[in-house]
Amino acid sequence: MNRSALVGALALVSACASGGAPASRGPSTPIEGTYEYVANIPGGQQVRGVMRFLGDTVLVEPVTEYCRPALGAPSLQVIRYTCNGSGTFEQLQLSIDRRNPVQLSRWSATFRVQKRREVCVRYEVRAGRQVCVETTTETYETSESRGGTLQLTRTP
């Protein structure tokens, strides 16, 4: 490979590693520092805490929940934390954008939801076919996911 091809390949790799994001999406101030965060969960619940950006590291310090770095392959663009749920949600995921945390960070949560369904409790055979002749309403629990923007405010 000649020298100009090598320089071009390194420039391409560097652009890919930085995500190739337009400069307009980047923050106007340095990211390092302390931020308060709020996730407004449906049902009027709020999850609050503090994030500390130190170089390529983000430390999450929730007020009440326990959070830990999410398992999986690391990302150059997003740091993920998994937090134990309280109240109506089972688990909360924080996706913190490394380059522009104030505008691009998000939360997603898994909720326990109670639903109702009609189930047959008694069958009879009529005209050679089994038919339901009595039903009851059954309550069951399932999980649903919701998400939104994670609100970050830089603290002095």
Side-chain angles (χ1 to χ4, degrees), residues 6-148:
L6 181 60
V7 170
L10 288 174
L12 179 62
V13 168
S14 178
C16 290
S18 68
S24 63
R25 293 188 73 184
S28 58
T29 59
I31 293 172
E32 283 202 2
T34 302
Y35 297 76
E36 290 182 356
Y37 72 86
V38 177
N40 290 309
I41 309 294
Q45 192 171 357
Q46 286 189 333
V47 175
R48 296 178 167 276
V50 173
M51 289 184 190
R52 299 184 197 288
F53 288 77
L54 308 164
D56 64 350
T57 302
V58 178
L59 302 174
V60 175
E61 302 168 8
V63 172
T64 57
E65 291 75 23
Y66 168 74
C67 297
R68 65 197 173 283
L71 299 176
S75 166
L76 294 174
Q77 189 168 352
V78 176
I79 297 173
R80 289 184 169 75
Y81 273 81
T82 301
C83 305
N84 291 349
S86 62
T88 60
F89 65 95
E90 295 175 331
Q91 190 177 70
L92 179 71
Q93 294 277 337
L94 303 177
S95 297
I96 305 151
D97 190 276
R98 290 178 188 262
R99 286 182 242 149
N100 194 344
V102 173
Q103 292 181 346
L104 301 177
S105 295
R106 304 204 34 91
W107 64 266
S108 61
T110 305
F111 292 85
R112 294 177 298 275
V113 179
Q114 284 199 345
K115 293 190 173 187
R116 298 167 60 97
R117 61 183 167 207
E118 292 290 318
V119 294
C120 190
V121 293
R122 190 166 63 90
Y123 293 92
E124 289 182 3
V125 177
R126 294 188 181 164
R129 295 180 59 187
Q130 184 176 356
V131 293
C132 181
V133 293
E134 185 180 347
T135 63
T136 188
T137 302
E138 171 182 272
T139 302
Y140 66 101
E141 201 169 85
T142 187
S143 294
E144 292 182 0
S145 295
R146 296 199 183 111

